[in-house]
Amino acid sequence: YLGSSGINAEYGYSEVNHFLSPNLEYKYTVDGEADQKLEINVDLTVAMKCNLLGADVLDIWGRNIGDTESLKEELVPFELAENQKQFLALQRSGRDIQNLNHARLEDMIGDASRDLVPREDGGKTVPKDACRLHGRIPVNKVKGNFHILSGRSVQLSGVGHAHLQFGNVQKNFSHRIDGLTFGDRVHGMFYALDGEHKIAPTAEYSYQYYIQIVPTKYMTDEINVQTYQYTVEEQVRAVDHKAGSHGTAGIVIKYNFSPISAIVEQKQKNVVLFLTRLLGVVGGIISTSGLLNLVMTEAFDWFCCWKRPTVK
């Protein structure tokens, strides 16, 4: 009796939990805002001095399409304090859990900040050997790439741009991505490159990230936001011309916008259907308990009669 009641009670609990969870409906449509502008929000630290680096945003024809003048450069330590390492580990863990388990949207979005926490040690004895590039870059919603290379970036009238480098520069494209979003960041939501931390084994190393951006609008009882979610693939390799591995050492983020936008809308669930299913669970508990009680009673009577000695 207790076992059957427990099973049915658990089933009833699952019905209630299913009813209380949001019923999300996914729709897909052509992006009607493809001609609008948005901003790339970036917070990236490279293990080189700022005067040795240059950043640009280019389209597929090599033309500059982003105003990187708005990017702020800040000389900071690349080595993290222990509390910052723990913060980044938690950030990556939360990002992976969100991606793998498809966490509820209300659980993903809150008031939590994703900014790197300050050093607990104050950083007084840590050398400032890295450049933090952070800010907002306005761009059109067209395919392009945001890259960071050695040498200061110089715009050439009519023919694109160049990176000027004087003398031998010790390159180190080890980097950390504290944040990279397209459009406004939704506080509390994780993005695919949050907390990314790469250490370059050699000076001539190339990091390329391929990003596919999908405009996504969420409309639920608790939130109503427009976001630009993205997926990412990466290619990491050493640049060695003698070995036939050509290219340029640096960090390149190639992005492309999907022409299809997604709409995630919460739909109200049928209360009558929920009550019908819940009453069915209650009826199942009563019926199953009665049936088991009858079977156990008959089995007990049969066992007792079979064991009873015959009187002559």
Side-chain angles (χ1 to χ4, degrees):
Y1 176 78
L2 292 176
S4 64
S5 298
I7 293 173
N8 283 281
E10 184 177 351
Y11 184 70
Y13 171 78
S14 66
E15 286 289 341
V16 174
N17 189 55
H18 179 265
F19 178 76
L20 295 177
S21 63
N23 181 27
L24 300 180
E25 181 179 279
Y26 294 82
K27 298 179 181 178
Y28 301 94
T29 183
V30 176
D31 183 15
E33 301 178 348
D35 57 343
Q36 293 188 359
K37 284 193 172 186
L38 55 74
E39 292 179 320
I40 301 176
N41 296 288
V42 60
D43 190 347
L44 188 149
T45 302
V46 185
M48 293 176 63
K49 297 290 183 68
C50 293
N51 62 341
L52 303 178
L53 294 171
D56 291 284
V57 181
L58 309 176
D59 62 14
I60 56 176
W61 296 283
R63 299 175 302 192
N64 193 294
I65 57 174
D67 180 18
T68 52
E69 296 288 332
S70 57
L71 274 183
K72 298 178 182 178
E73 297 180 350
E74 182 182 351
L75 201 59
V76 296
F78 187 72
E79 181 183 352
L80 296 174
E82 284 302 317
N83 68 306
Q84 293 177 316
K85 292 178 182 178
Q86 294 173 6
F87 174 81
L88 283 185
L90 288 174
Q91 195 174 35
R92 288 191 295 268
S93 177
R95 177 193 70 186
D96 295 340
I97 291 173
Q98 175 182 303
N99 292 338
L100 292 176
N101 296 344
H102 305 286
R104 284 180 54 188
L105 194 65
E106 288 81 0
D107 296 333
M108 295 190 296
I109 298 178
D111 296 327
S113 172
R114 301 299 178 209
D115 297 334
L116 185 66
V117 295
R119 304 180 67 96
E120 290 182 346
D121 58 9
K124 294 181 180 180
T125 61
V126 183
K128 294 184 177 181
D129 55 355
C131 184
R132 179 191 175 203
L133 299 166
H134 59 102
R136 303 161 72 94
I137 308 171
V139 296
N140 294 316
K141 291 172 67 173
V142 296
K143 186 176 182 179
N145 75 77
F146 168 57
H147 63 249
I148 301 171
L149 305 175
S150 63
R152 302 303 287 177
S153 177
V154 177
Q155 300 302 316
L156 304 177
S157 178
V159 292
H161 79 294
H163 285 260
L164 299 182
Q165 179 177 306
F166 301 96
N168 294 324
V169 175
Q170 183 62 37
K171 301 176 184 177
N172 184 359
F173 283 104
S174 300
H175 62 279
R176 183 180 68 250
I177 301 176
D178 293 320
L180 179 68
T181 64
F182 296 83
D184 292 333
R185 169 178 282 272
V186 179
H187 290 288
M189 179 177 282
F190 291 99
Y191 293 83
L193 285 175
D194 284 350
E196 197 72 15
H197 194 189
K198 300 290 188 183
I199 302 297
T202 64
E204 297 291 330
Y205 226 72
S206 170
Y207 295 91
Q208 294 195 24
Y209 298 96
Y210 300 89
I211 290 177
Q212 183 68 30
I213 306 163
V214 180
T216 307
K217 186 172 185 178
Y218 292 97
M219 296 183 294
T220 74
D221 293 340
E222 299 187 18
I223 59 171
N224 191 336
V225 294
Q226 173 72 50
T227 70
Y228 290 86
Q229 295 294 293
Y230 62 85
T231 59
V232 60
E233 296 182 1
E234 62 181 71
Q235 182 185 65
V236 180
R237 64 184 179 87
V239 176
D240 188 346
H241 298 291
K242 294 180 179 179
S245 179
H246 302 293
T248 303
I251 303 166
V252 179
I253 300 173
K254 297 184 177 183
Y255 60 88
N256 191 17
F257 290 89
S258 170
I260 304 298
S261 64
I263 301 175
V264 183
E265 186 175 4
Q266 182 174 350
K267 295 293 184 180
Q268 297 297 326
K269 294 184 178 179
N270 192 320
V271 179
V272 176
L273 178 60
F274 164 68
L275 293 176
T276 303
R277 294 170 66 96
L278 193 60
L279 289 175
V281 173
V282 175
I285 294 176
I286 298 173
S287 300
T288 305
S289 301
L291 179 61
L292 285 177
N293 183 58
L294 178 62
V295 171
M296 294 299 292
T297 301
E298 291 293 332
F300 181 78
D301 290 343
W302 176 84
F303 181 77
C304 291
C305 293
W306 179 69
K307 286 290 187 180
R308 188 180 302 160
T310 303
V311 180
K312 294 185 179 179

